[in-house]
Amino acid sequence: MHQPKNLQSAGLKSTTPRLKILSLFENSKERHLSAEGIYNILHSSGEDVSLATVYRVLTQFEQAGLLLRHHFESEKSVFELNLGKHHDHIVCLQCDHVEEFYDTAIEARQKKIAADHGFTIHEHSLYIYADCTKRNCPNKR
Amino acid sequence: MHQPKNLQSAGLKSTTPRLKILSLFENSKERHLSAEGIYNILHSSGEDVSLATVYRVLTQFEQAGLLLRHHFESEKSVFELNLGKHHDHIVCLQCDHVEEFYDTAIEARQKKIAADHGFTIHEHSLYIYADCTKRNCPNKR
DNA sequence: AATGCGAATGAGAATGGTTATCATTTGCGC
DNA sequence: GCGCAAATGATAACCATTCTCATTCGCATT
Ligand SMILES: [Mn+2]
Ligand SMILES: [Mn+2]
Ligand SMILES: [Zn+2]
Ligand SMILES: [Zn+2]
């Protein structure tokens, strides 16, 4: 089961703001971006898209299955391209570094726990908050 | 390692709003409560505490280790008494029913994953979103 | 029990992320 | 190129939460 690669196949007409935002996700080295982050990146490269449109497009892309939305500990939503491979996240509390992981044991335990409680899982969110080891991370001080 | 049972031992002078809110958590059948929920419960029993104070007290209690704060899928924070036993949550997407669980396998895998990535875990949040089986849950139709 | 003072509270303004409104512009089938 | 529904931009509104500041309260000391 694959995601549509273009806007039309997602039922969205291809407009300038949508194309800019989609290509930003496809080309940025940061996989995980907030609305404000996208807005700032676009403006600093001279591409003016209104903040309202950034929010609208992100929501549309999420509904179309192009993007996934995350709620990390910060109060702003963070988005990433939906490549169809589920994974969870380790988020550095000092810098904004995010690492992805997938653990079959955890996934299996979750299924079993929900079943044992008589629940039908829709989705889950697992965020590990930690200190990372990046050279330039402020937790290195 | 135990939590303080009273306000003084948490370094908080015992005021009327604080005592009301603490006893609400100790006596309510709902373990997981939002600021607005607390405000409403207090007001419907004639106990008037301003919403600003509810928010202030919740934050103070959290900092004192008396309460834990959660960010479920809804945009408002949810609090529960900190009884010192870590657990994760299954949240029904239809009603607000919450079940708690603790799984040693998941906890162990998380530690290992963080270590493998060179991170030092501070905390984690694992929320399973699902449909529950309560008789009166709207997902029953 | 009255006093005094710093901490706590209440009322409402302010904030920050996000959504809604509405006039104007744009994509795109004809 | 036309026409119109859909998309956008500017800005107001929203909503949970925090802040401001004048008033009140807890509590230690007379
Ligand atoms: Mn990711
Ligand atoms: Mn709980
Ligand atoms: Zn870091
Ligand atoms: Zn339910």
Side-chain angles (χ1 to χ4, degrees), chain A residues 31-32 68 70 72 80-81 87-89 98-100:
Chain A
R31 275 190 54 72
H32 306 88
L68 297 175
H70 298 293
F72 295 154
E80 70 176 317
L81 271 187
H87 57 263
D88 294 301
H89 297 87
V98 175
E99 296 232 359
E100 307 181 332

Side-chain angles (χ1 to χ4, degrees), chain A residues 103 109 117-118 122-123 129 133, chain B residues 103 109 118 122-123 129 133:
Chain A
D103 187 86
R109 292 298 300 159
H117 286 259
H122 276 216
E123 55 176 330
Y129 299 101
T133 49
Chain B
D103 187 85
R109 293 297 301 159
H122 276 216
E123 55 177 329
Y129 299 102
T133 48

Side-chain angles (χ1 to χ4, degrees), chain A residues 20 40-49:
Chain A
K20 285 178 183 169
N40 289 336
I41 293 173
L42 289 175
H43 273 243
S44 49
S45 29
E47 323 265 22
D48 286 8
V49 176

